[in-house]
C-alpha cells in the first residue's frame, strides 16, 4: 500500500478509495478502502466493555485480598503485569501450582458471584 501511495505522489495524482493497490492470495482485487477499513468493534461495544472492565476492577479491589488479588492480577495480566501461567505464579510466590489453582478458582468464584449480584453481567476472564 505504501508503495502505491509513493508511486501516486510521484505522478502527482490523487488517491481514491476505489483505487486498486494489488491482489490478494485468491486473485481478488484489493482496493485502498479495503486496507484502511476499520475492523474494530462498534463504539458502543467498546464503551460497554470499558465499563465492564472498570466495574470488574472495582470488584477485584473490594472483594479480593492478599494472595487472591495477587494471583488474579498476575494470571490475567492486570495492573501492568504480563499474563502468567499458574506454574510461573507458583514459582514467584514460592507456593505449589495446585495451591495457585485453588486460590484462582476461589477468587474467580467470588468475582463471579459479586458480578452477578451487581448491575453488570459478568465478563469472561
Amino acid at each position: 500500500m505504501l508503495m502505491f501511495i509513493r508511486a501516486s505522489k510521484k505522478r502527482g495524482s490523487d488517491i481514491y478509495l476505489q483505487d486498486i493497490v494489488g491482489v490478494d492470495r485468491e486473485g481478488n482485487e484489493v482496493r485502498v478502502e479495503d486496507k484502511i477499513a476499520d475492523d474494530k468493534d462498534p463504539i458502543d461495544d467498546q464503551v460497554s466493555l470499558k465499563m465492564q472492565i472498570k466495574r470488574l476492577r472495582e470488584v477485584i479491589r473490594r472483594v479480593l485480598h492478599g494472595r487472591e488479588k495477587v494471583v488474579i492480577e498476575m494470571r490475567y495480566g492486570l495492573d501492568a503485569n504480563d499474563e502468567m501461567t499458574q506454574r510461573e505464579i507458583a514459582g514467584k510466590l514460592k507456593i505449589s501450582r495446585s495451591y495457585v489453582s485453588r486460590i484462582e478458582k476461589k477468587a474467580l468464584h467470588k468475582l463471579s458471584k459479586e458480578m452477578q449480584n451487581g448491575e453488570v453481567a459478568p465478563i469472561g476472564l
Side-chain angles (χ1 to χ4, degrees), residues 19-78:
D19 288 345
I20 298 169
V21 294
V23 292
D24 62 12
R25 291 181 181 154
E26 298 163 356
N28 300 318
E29 294 177 340
V30 178
R31 300 180 186 283
V32 172
E33 65 186 332
D34 297 331
K35 289 294 191 178
I36 62 172
D38 187 9
D39 295 332
K40 294 183 180 180
D41 295 330
I43 192 72
D44 56 336
D45 289 348
Q46 291 179 31
V47 169
S48 176
L49 180 60
K50 285 188 181 205
M51 289 172 55
Q52 287 181 337
I53 290 170
K54 183 179 178 185
R55 167 122 169 83
L56 180 59
R57 287 184 186 276
E58 290 170 4
V59 171
I60 287 172
R61 190 179 65 250
R62 190 179 69 241
V63 173
L64 301 183
H65 305 284
R67 282 191 174 160
E68 289 176 338
K69 184 177 179 192
V70 170
V71 166
I72 292 299
E73 287 174 349
M74 290 176 152
R75 185 78 168 113
Y76 297 99
L78 305 174

